Amino acid sequence: MDSFKRCPAVSVVICTYNRADLLEKTLMSLLELEDLALAEIIVVDNRSTDHTAATIKKFSVAHGQDIHLRYHYEREQGLSAARNAGITLSRAEVIAFLDDDAIPCATWLQTIMSAFGNNPELTAMGGKIEPMFETERPGWLTGPLELPYTIIDLGKAVREYPVGLNPFGANMAMRKTAFAAVMFPLHLGRKGDILLSGEESWVFEQIRKNGGTIMYHPHMAVKHFVPATRLTKEWIMNRYYCQGISNAAQAVGLLGNVMLMAKTAAKVLYITVDSLLARTEGRKLLNRCRFESIRGTLDTLRNRKSESAAG
């Protein structure tokens, strides 16, 4: 089904890039969702060069009678650009984002509709994200190192997200009105295989500044695939380095840069002390990753200064 006789209750946006086989599993999982007939599915293909388009067409032919599915090819590379395209195409008052390698639980969609329907003050929400490891989970992957792998479990109770923590892009939903003034920033977020980030945090920061409420709901749960290629110390350290680049990209103007340098100096002091006390493999790796984040920030600031002097 490619059109509604009435407005859908939720627009589910799935942005994808060169992961056709994983995307197919995600699309198949949607067929198990309760109240699927009330939602539209928008798949945004962000310049994939694999068989993504063919996979979506095959799925649409086989299951088009069971699902409201639309396909969009987004030429501008970048996750932020893809998400913004999905927002623009959406017709529902609530937009839910799902990764192309995530499997939602059966109550995922119903939970989203119920939460927004029963809470007029609710602006955004997210839920539990359980990892599906392609290979054995490394022993060092514990504590704060779980966050870069989008592993999140805030318990069995519905609650507001604590300060400093937001829903992850693999499993988040917002009212469309949240994007009336701002969209996902194009200078942040992944672009192809480049691991930049920060676009989601920026959007949630704007929501909080505008007085919005962000809620965690345990029944809005997904399982998220973690490939073996990411389960290495090299990958997680590169992920932190790119986070440092993202942090620097968000610093605007003299005041922004001064505040960033002050925060970075404080981090150096904290990490240096913590490194002296670290005993476990995970804790030692975490501090190495934190130093990589700082290196990414400083490299970006140096490059910015060099470009400014040259220009």
Side-chain angles (χ1 to χ4, degrees):
M1 293 181 286
D2 59 1
S3 64
F4 273 95
K5 293 181 179 180
R6 54 186 175 79
C7 183
V10 178
S11 295
V12 179
V13 175
I14 303 173
C15 301
T16 188
Y17 172 71
N18 282 349
R19 294 201 283 193
D21 294 337
L22 290 170
L23 174 65
E24 183 177 19
K25 294 179 180 180
T26 294
L27 292 175
M28 290 297 296
S29 73
L30 299 181
L31 300 175
E32 304 300 321
L33 291 177
E34 297 175 6
D35 294 328
L36 178 62
L38 301 178
E40 67 171 351
I41 312 299
I42 302 171
V43 180
V44 182
D45 181 355
N46 196 201
R47 297 183 63 179
S48 297
T49 56
D50 62 358
H51 52 291
T52 290
T55 296
I56 297 170
K57 183 177 181 179
K58 177 183 175 182
F59 177 85
S60 183
V61 170
H63 303 285
Q65 73 279 7
D66 303 314
I67 192 168
H68 301 276
L69 178 67
R70 285 193 285 160
Y71 170 79
H72 173 75
Y73 184 85
E74 176 54 45
R75 295 184 180 276
E76 183 171 358
Q77 189 78 71
L79 182 53
S80 287
R83 284 177 174 159
N84 289 342
I87 294 167
T88 301
L89 290 167
S90 65
R91 292 179 289 172
E93 294 183 2
V94 174
I95 305 172
F97 294 91
L98 186 68
D99 269 6
D100 59 359
D101 57 357
I103 307 297
C105 68
T107 60
W108 182 78
L109 189 58
Q110 187 181 73
T111 299
I112 293 171
M113 290 189 290
S114 177
F116 281 104
N118 295 330
N119 299 278
E121 77 286 355
L122 182 62
T123 308
M125 64 183 296
K128 181 179 179 180
I129 303 178
E130 180 183 350
M132 294 187 297
F133 295 108
E134 184 177 20
T135 56
E136 184 177 355
R137 176 176 180 149
W140 47 259
L141 208 177
T142 59
L145 287 175
E146 290 186 338
L147 291 180
Y149 290 97
T150 64
I151 301 172
I152 187 73
D153 185 351
L154 298 184
K156 298 181 179 180
V158 177
R159 54 175 294 192
E160 285 195 41
Y161 274 85
V163 176
L165 186 62
N166 300 305
F168 286 95
N171 183 24
M172 63 183 182
M174 295 90 149
R175 292 193 191 275
K176 193 170 184 177
T177 52
F179 300 105
V182 298
M183 300 283 269
F184 286 98
L186 298 180
H187 67 292
L188 298 174
R190 296 193 179 186
K191 294 187 178 181
D193 297 321
I194 302 174
L195 300 178
L196 296 180
S197 59
E199 79 287 0
E200 297 159 11
S201 298
W202 186 87
V203 167
F204 286 117
E205 181 181 353
Q206 306 311 307
I207 289 175
R208 283 193 167 98
K209 284 182 178 178
N210 292 327
T213 300
I214 306 172
M215 182 176 74
Y216 168 86
H217 201 302
H219 296 158
M220 183 186 172
V222 306
K223 293 184 178 180
H224 187 235
F225 180 69
V226 183
T229 53
R230 295 186 182 183
L231 296 173
T232 66
K233 294 180 180 180
E234 291 75 19
W235 185 90
I236 189 63
M237 290 178 69
N238 182 53
R239 173 67 178 79
Y240 268 82
Y241 179 84
C242 291
Q243 180 62 54
I245 296 175
S246 301
N247 293 341
Q250 297 180 65
V252 179
L254 178 60
L255 179 60
N257 280 281
V258 170
M259 292 180 63
L260 177 63
M261 289 303 297
K263 289 180 180 179
T264 301
K267 287 180 181 179
V268 170
L269 179 60
Y270 171 81
I271 299 168
T272 299
V273 173
D274 195 66
S275 295
L276 297 174
L277 302 174
R279 294 293 180 267
T280 66
E281 182 184 16
R283 195 70 183 181
K284 292 177 181 178
L285 177 59
L286 174 61
N287 284 320
R288 289 172 61 192
C289 289
R290 287 168 168 168
F291 276 124
E292 281 300 295
S293 176
I294 291 171
R295 189 168 70 87
T297 295
L298 296 179
D299 285 351
T300 303
L301 293 176
R302 279 193 293 266
N303 291 338
R304 185 185 299 169
K305 185 176 181 180
S306 298
E307 291 172 0
S308 178

